[in-house]
Amino acid sequence: MASAEKHGHGEEKRKEVFVCQNCRFSAHYDYFGRKPPFTKSFVLMEEAFVVKDPFSADGGMITLGSSCCICGARVCLSQGCSLFYTKRFCLTCVKRNMKEFPKEIIEELAKKRKE
Ligand SMILES: [Zn+2]
Ligand SMILES: [Zn+2]
């Protein structure tokens, strides 16, 4: 994975950066996976990029995004970038595999895009 790249930045904490491949939203993340070590007993529905919530004292967190289960693209959770239907899909894969999704989901998606 590209996350092993070494950059010569002199930052004291070297955090990995999550970049949405669709909208280019980017942010540092603390953990990728389903069981963030800094939350007490929270298990995510999917492997996700998460950051500790700085305003929460009891292990709160913010989910930034996840990776598409088909192509592995990193996408944020915005409706314009990904869809969660049992697994996370980027919208490119949703469009390519329209037939695999229930009609309601596709219609929902089409509605949201027009708004
Ligand atoms: Zn995005
Ligand atoms: Zn995809």
Side-chain angles (χ1 to χ4, degrees):
M1 279 281 173
S3 56
E5 281 173 50
K6 280 179 196 128
H7 295 290
H9 299 289
E11 291 163 38
E12 67 284 3
K13 260 194 244 164
R14 210 182 121 280
K15 282 194 185 179
E16 310 254 9
V17 181
F18 163 82
V19 182
C20 173
Q21 293 189 8
N22 189 55
C23 69
R24 297 285 144 194
F25 159 77
S26 72
H28 290 289
Y29 66 92
D30 293 312
Y31 174 80
F32 173 71
R34 294 183 63 156
K35 288 174 116 183
F38 42 84
T39 64
K40 274 165 197 158
S41 57
F42 203 81
V43 180
L44 294 156
M45 304 258 301
E46 58 181 324
E47 291 200 312
F49 295 91
V50 294
V51 278
K52 278 186 239 179
D53 183 352
F55 303 107
S56 162
D58 55 346
M61 50 157 215
I62 300 161
T63 310
L64 299 173
S66 186
S67 60
C68 172
C69 66
I70 298 177
C71 70
R74 293 174 172 195
V75 280
C76 73
L77 303 189
S78 124
Q79 281 163 346
C81 294
S82 72
L83 169 77
F84 188 80
Y85 175 66
T86 69
K87 285 172 179 171
R88 177 69 51 189
F89 298 89
C90 73
L91 284 201
T92 310
C93 288
V94 173
K95 275 181 234 152
R96 266 187 214 143
N97 301 278
M98 286 268 194
K99 282 178 224 137
E100 312 292 324
F101 294 91
K103 230 176 95 195
E104 303 80 62
I105 295 241
I106 301 299
E107 279 168 7
E108 243 339 82
L109 214 64
K111 251 188 262 167
K112 275 169 192 152
R113 309 197 121 212
K114 280 175 200 156
E115 273 165 23

